[in-house]
Amino acid sequence: MEWDSLWFNGHAATMAPVGTVRDAALAVKDGRIAWVGPRADLPEGAAREVHDLGGRWVTPGLIDCHTHLVFGGNRAREFEMRLKGASYEDIARAGGGIVSTVAATRQAGEEGLVASAAGRLERLLAEGVTVVEVKSGYGLDLATERAMLRAARRLGEQYGVTVRTTCLAAHAVPPEFTGRPDAYIDLVCEEILPALAAEGLVDAVDAFCERIAFTPEQTARVFDAARRLNLPVKLHADQLSDGGGAALAARYGALSADHVEHTGEDGVRAMAEAGTVAVLLPGAFYTLRETKLPPVELFRKHGVPMAVATDCNPGTSPAVSLLLMLNMACTLFRLTPQEALAGVTRNAAKALGMAETHGTLEAGKAADFAVWDVGDPAELCYWLGANPCVGVVRGGMTRS
Ligand code: DI6
Ligand code: FE
């Protein structure tokens, strides 16, 4: 057999049904994993490049399945206000919050958006991330939503990383529609979504279903529009209150329901039936000093797959480390390290509709993997502020 590269003398946390393979070998051909398993079983073959892992660990490339990586400005001032006692909802109602980032994003222009997001993306990539989902939602008009999604796609090309773009035009009511949320939803459904979908910029559609954002009825209209365009949906659901968001998402066969701190058992059951992934976002939970924990025990009981992501955004989760989120998912939400690792690999791929091609180390899947200088994969969840990533391969190409 002829391979492009061969990796040996390390251990593989495959995240596939075979689990951990000690003393593994992994062969890459044409950007895909050609073979992975115990080195002793490696078929005869030759590789153009051979890499000695020196006893280190290999995992699938990490997948950050929920980010708002592209935005203008930042909200450090609001951080100070919240430290003095103002709540996130108070600030949003007083005209700060999401709409203040909308103003900065409209100002930035596509070039400015690419430039400011690049630094954040580099930090994620340095920690072994190989797939990033990026949402729009700080433009709230056609031109700026387009600029955000185009910026995200350009970053993917520039850095050789897989970027999935999600249209979150239904994130907040833009200032020019104050008091007329339904008119804005009309614009989203009739103009913004169809235009961006026609331009090929939309991989999925998201909305913020919450008392400070859109009602379940308005959210359903956005999902109906997505369905007409044949686009999968996901939802910011039950983050600050139980508004039935997770159940609504499940009714539309959503890829994921995200945040879900306040989701009750009916919602969890509906998610299980629909195969909807629960995306847990401990960075937002921490930043908002939330106290209501997501129903992890119910997700386990009903077999709802759990993913973990940064939610990188300027308001509620200025997080640029997926490894830190692994730690928080364990310490704050009591996920096991194995569950947390599945949450940034296999289940994160499922939350993006990419389970067939990404998220595990298996023959035929994308050759996206990370090499870690650790004695056990649980260390990826254990250290605070360390980065044991010593190598990343994306699409078969060695990146560091
Ligand atoms: N939920 C969140 O946590 C972010 N968006 C959302 O719908 C917050 C976005 C922001 O405050 O800028
Ligand atoms: Fe979010």
Side-chain angles (χ1 to χ4, degrees):
M1 242 168 281
E2 279 279 323
W3 299 305
D4 297 332
S5 61
L6 177 67
W7 305 71
F8 76 105
N9 192 29
H11 313 297
T14 66
M15 307 314 292
V18 300
T20 288
V21 181
R22 291 201 162 258
D23 197 6
L26 189 158
V28 173
K29 172 95 179 146
D30 296 332
R32 289 170 189 243
I33 297 173
W35 194 89
V36 59
R39 177 185 175 183
D41 300 344
L42 181 71
E44 280 287 306
R48 281 193 286 108
E49 263 179 42
V50 177
H51 300 264
D52 185 340
L53 290 162
R56 297 189 179 94
W57 279 84
V58 179
T59 66
L62 306 191
I63 299 176
D64 194 350
C65 69
H66 179 142
T67 87
H68 310 247
L69 196 76
V70 170
F71 57 81
N74 69 63
R75 307 231 292 276
R77 284 280 307 128
E78 282 179 21
F79 172 62
E80 294 183 74
M81 286 163 69
R82 276 190 290 105
L83 291 177
K84 289 191 181 130
S87 78
Y88 179 66
E89 290 183 72
D90 292 341
I91 293 170
R93 290 207 179 87
I98 292 173
V99 297
S100 69
T101 298
V102 170
T105 303
R106 288 177 177 179
Q107 286 263 310
E110 193 178 308
E111 293 305 320
L113 292 174
V114 169
S116 66
R120 295 186 281 272
L121 180 61
E122 285 174 19
R123 286 169 197 240
L124 292 178
L125 299 185
E127 290 187 346
V129 168
T130 55
V131 178
V132 189
E133 184 257 16
V134 181
K135 299 175 196 296
S136 67
Y138 291 118
L140 311 184
D141 60 32
L142 176 58
T144 318
E145 290 288 303
R146 176 189 288 123
M148 289 185 72
L149 296 175
R150 285 177 48 98
R153 289 280 176 89
R154 275 174 57 183
L155 285 160
E157 279 158 32
Q158 198 172 315
Y159 285 89
V161 56
T162 303
V163 165
R164 285 293 159 124
T165 48
T166 300
C167 183
L168 177 59
H171 193 196
V173 179
E176 59 279 15
F177 281 86
T178 300
R180 298 184 296 135
D182 281 300
Y184 178 61
I185 292 293
D186 288 342
L187 180 76
V188 171
C189 296
E190 287 159 25
E191 198 178 311
I192 298 180
L193 269 179
L196 297 178
E199 290 168 38
L201 287 170
V202 183
D203 295 317
V205 174
D206 194 349
F208 189 16
C209 183
E210 190 56 63
R211 55 194 180 204
I212 54 166
F214 296 102
T215 64
E217 294 69 31
Q218 290 160 343
T219 303
R221 289 173 57 207
V222 174
F223 284 179
D224 287 330
R227 195 173 264 174
R228 288 195 292 277
L229 296 165
N230 249 327
L231 292 169
V233 299
K234 36 191 39 263
L235 188 64
H236 282 72
D238 309 330
Q239 180 185 5
L240 309 171
S241 58
D242 185 2
L248 171 67
R251 222 163 33 248
Y252 281 83
L255 291 172
S256 67
D258 303 38
H259 289 285
V260 295
E261 281 90 341
H262 291 263
T263 301
E265 188 155 11
D266 287 351
V268 174
R269 218 179 272 116
M271 288 172 70
E273 274 159 26
T276 298
V277 176
V279 178
L280 307 181
L281 303 168
F285 177 91
Y286 166 84
T287 300
L288 295 179
R289 297 171 191 261
E290 264 283 353
T291 51
K292 179 82 177 70
L293 287 163
V296 166
E297 205 44 66
L298 292 176
F299 292 138
R300 288 186 184 123
K301 175 176 156 196
H302 292 285
V304 173
M306 292 179 279
V308 174
T310 60
D311 196 15
C312 177
N313 79 69
T316 61
S317 190
V320 290
S321 168
L322 193 53
L323 292 178
L324 183 58
M325 300 303 112
L326 287 179
N327 176 271
M328 287 184 173
C330 295
T331 301
L332 298 175
F333 296 166
R334 299 197 182 276
L335 264 59
T336 66
Q338 274 304 312
E339 285 173 327
L341 285 172
V344 296
T345 54
R346 187 176 67 235
N347 293 344
K350 189 164 159 56
L352 296 178
M354 303 173 83
E356 297 288 307
T357 51
H358 292 75
T360 63
L361 299 177
E362 288 178 278
K365 287 207 174 176
D368 280 4
F369 53 92
V371 182
W372 307 95
D373 192 10
V374 293
D376 186 284
E379 282 185 53
L380 301 185
C381 305
Y382 162 73
W383 297 104
L384 278 170
N387 180 10
C389 183
V390 292
V392 186
V393 173
R394 295 196 292 271
M397 308 265 285
T398 306
R399 307 288 175 161
S400 58

